[in-house]
Amino acid sequence: MQDAPARAEGDGPWSQLIIRGVTLINGTLAPPIGPVDIVVEGNRISQVVTVGAPGVPIDARRRPVLKEGGKELQAEGMFLLPGFVDTHVHIGGSQAPMAEYVFKLWLAHGVTTVLEAGSMNGLDWVLKHKRQSEANEITAPRILAYTRFGMGASQPISTEQQTLDWVRQNAQKGADGIKFFGAEPQIMETAIKENKRLGLRSKAHHSQTYVGGWNVLHSARAGLNSMEHQYGLPEALFQDRKVQDYSLDYNYQNEQDRFGEAGQLWKQAAAPFSAHWNKVMDELIGLDFTLSPTLVIYEASRDLMRARRAEWHEKYTLPSLWEFYKPNRQAHGSYWFSWGTEQELNWKENYRLWMTFLNEYKNRGGRVTVGTDAGFIYALYGFSYVRELELLREAGFHPLEVIQAATLNGAQLAGMESDIGSVEVGKLADFVIAEENPLANLQTLYGTGAIRVTEDNRVVRVGGVKYTIKDGIIYDAKKLLADVENIVSQAKQSDQYVIKQPGDVD
Ligand SMILES: [Zn+2]
């Protein structure tokens, strides 16, 4: 994995930054309001001042005064949101071995904070980039490191003492939390509780190899902060079975079995709004348990061609990533051995039931966040974030609720809500600025923009994030994307690489 290079992008920080005349869409469910001037001093928001009404000239007398050495950013007609939080990421890997590529795709889509789920490049590597990002020595979102449980242990963890030792060492090393995949119940219980006692956070992908003995209810009761994906939740909702209806020749190492049958999980769970469904939901909400569904990472399962032919692949997907996505019995998440109508219909129904749960969870006061898990299954960094916003919209969230999930909810899950997640006096200067209203069309946030036909019948692209501001440093989002495009075209040049569809003959 290539380290991120020293920061060569971004303007600032300045002693004072004033963003002028923007329409604010906060993460708090407040409706849009503008024009406002937003003042940042010493990387903290010091004022949010309403300076007029739409469609009429701004009243100059109400405007905050620029101090010497300060910077003004004219943003009249634009929309400003809190910086986005992605609650489930991996910083590349062998399939995308350049931190710069991944970081720029995130920042270009407004992602200013990421929860790194597993520290797959090694905890030291992640912590080094976390520190460099904190100091803005590299161009990257702020990073929170959740170490994969048991990573680096000299032997597999099997006793209470080994569990305690590992959890304490992880905290000492400076990790922010633990990412679990599951373990024996006693070990899960001990690890989650000790980690919480030490003040760290925890998230779990409840692997199907363990959900028979420990599902999301067990985790929530022990004090886990969030569940990732869907696994372990349908299992908590089982009524007439203890285990999913595995086909009798199922093999977990055969990923078409694994993902094909995972697409039939929700229909085996208690029906929406049934007594058991209600009871489990209410208990999870009562435990302040967060859902990080990462709907986008499974979307290819319900519409493979959509994910595979997404218009950004040609310009922005690295050859190594494209090769990794290809149908392959050995690569993770490349389970397209014989994937067609029946599998996709199962997944469509699975999503419908899952989304019903997510929307009602939100309605009853439960916390749902925006996570992506990009880098697998045709899901590209950054672009997947916007797609996840659209999927929550599809689940029934109002666009303002989608933005809250993306910002304040993510900040709360990270334990950082006093610093980030909304635009309020005292918080850090992390913002997303867009020329189009994202509430009216979330697709305008894609780096590839949205299609518009002008009055004189020309077809144009509009949107894309205009500026991403992190710690008061202004990044030109389109420049970041141009850098990514350049990285990809250079990677293709050496062997004249062209993206081809699976099975295509030359
Ligand atoms: Zn993941």
Side-chain angles (χ1 to χ4, degrees), residues 88-90 116-118 120 179 181 205 228-229 294 297-298 332 372-374 376:
H88 188 122
V89 308
H90 304 286
E116 211 279 341
M120 308 292 195
K179 157 87 179 288
F181 283 92
H205 165 163
E228 313 299 302
H229 322 309
T294 72
I297 197 62
Y298 302 105
H332 178 50
T372 60
D373 203 13
F376 304 92

Side-chain angles (χ1 to χ4, degrees), residues 112-123:
T112 51
T113 301
V114 297
L115 277 55
E116 211 279 341
S119 298
M120 308 292 195
N121 302 317
L123 181 59

Side-chain angles (χ1 to χ4, degrees), residues 383-503:
F383 288 91
S384 295
Y385 194 85
V386 180
R387 185 62 191 153
E388 185 72 8
L389 302 182
E390 284 200 273
L391 289 166
L392 289 181
R393 178 78 186 103
E394 181 183 330
F397 287 47
H398 184 281
L400 285 171
E401 293 171 338
V402 172
I403 299 305
Q404 185 187 41
T407 56
L408 194 56
N409 288 2
Q412 286 169 346
L413 178 62
M416 290 192 70
E417 69 273 22
S418 57
D419 285 326
I420 58 168
S422 62
V423 178
E424 291 174 275
V425 170
K427 289 200 181 184
L428 295 171
D430 283 10
F431 311 120
V432 183
I433 299 180
E435 290 171 309
E436 297 283 319
N437 178 1
L439 301 182
N441 182 4
L442 292 164
Q443 292 174 3
T444 59
L445 293 170
Y446 285 120
T448 40
I451 296 163
R452 194 73 51 82
V453 179
T454 64
E455 289 297 321
D456 59 347
N457 206 25
R458 282 178 306 114
V459 183
V460 295
R461 288 280 172 152
V462 298
V465 171
K466 175 87 173 158
Y467 303 112
T468 300
I469 300 180
K470 180 211 161 206
D471 284 328
I473 298 170
I474 305 170
Y475 293 93
D476 179 332
K478 292 180 185 182
K479 255 191 188 159
L480 297 176
L481 266 186
D483 289 352
V484 171
E485 190 181 345
N486 196 32
I487 290 171
V488 171
S489 73
Q490 279 185 7
K492 284 177 176 172
Q493 260 162 26
S494 52
D495 53 353
Q496 306 283 303
Y497 189 91
V498 181
I499 283 190
K500 287 192 192 126
Q501 297 305 322

Side-chain angles (χ1 to χ4, degrees), residues 146-349:
Y146 288 64
T147 321
R148 180 183 178 140
F149 178 65
M151 195 169 83
S154 52
Q155 55 188 323
I157 293 173
S158 61
T159 69
E160 180 105 357
Q161 194 55 50
Q162 287 167 349
T163 305
L164 292 170
D165 289 347
W166 188 91
V167 170
R168 287 167 189 165
Q169 270 172 29
N170 184 55
Q172 265 168 18
K173 285 178 185 163
D176 297 287
I178 301 176
K179 157 87 179 288
F180 291 96
F181 283 92
E184 295 308 317
Q186 193 51 52
I187 290 177
M188 285 295 285
E189 175 126 19
T190 302
I192 292 171
K193 286 187 170 163
E194 179 64 7
N195 184 63
K196 188 176 182 183
R197 193 184 69 76
L198 295 170
L200 272 63
R201 306 260 153 177
S202 54
K203 49 171 66 249
H205 165 163
H206 293 82
S207 157
Q208 281 154 301
T209 49
Y210 290 103
V211 287
W214 184 272
N215 61 45
V216 300
L217 261 181
H218 301 102
S219 279
R221 287 171 187 156
L224 189 87
N225 294 106
S226 70
M227 63 167 288
E228 313 299 302
H229 322 309
Q230 59 164 341
Y231 308 112
L233 181 53
E235 287 83 355
L237 293 162
F238 283 169
Q239 271 182 300
D240 57 354
R241 69 197 67 226
K242 293 279 284 174
V243 67
Q244 82 179 70
D245 189 19
Y246 290 115
S247 63
L248 301 184
D249 57 354
Y250 180 103
N251 185 332
Y252 190 69
Q253 284 298 88
N254 174 327
E255 288 206 356
Q256 173 137 1
D257 281 358
R258 184 157 143 196
F259 289 96
E261 299 198 17
Q264 301 172 59
L265 266 172
W266 278 92
K267 70 179 182 193
Q268 298 167 52
F273 301 98
S274 64
H276 188 59
W277 191 90
N278 284 325
K279 187 169 152 276
V280 170
M281 177 178 293
D282 291 341
E283 183 175 351
L284 291 174
I285 293 170
L287 291 164
D288 196 29
F289 191 62
T290 300
L291 311 185
S292 176
T294 72
L295 294 157
V296 65
I297 197 62
Y298 302 105
E299 202 189 9
S301 305
R302 73 168 191 176
D303 194 347
L304 176 55
M305 199 192 297
R306 178 190 215 288
R308 185 162 56 76
R309 298 305 304 248
E311 64 179 357
W312 40 84
H313 287 313
E314 264 76 13
K315 260 191 200 173
Y316 301 112
T317 295
L318 274 177
S320 52
L321 203 44
W322 189 255
E323 290 296 313
F324 181 76
Y325 291 153
K326 275 185 180 171
N328 185 330
R329 291 184 186 274
Q330 287 168 312
H332 178 50
S334 306
Y335 43 90
W336 325 108
F337 312 158
S338 176
W339 197 270
T341 310
E342 296 306 312
Q343 289 74 21
E344 293 192 359
L345 286 177
N346 280 336
W347 268 97
K348 281 179 182 160
E349 177 65 0

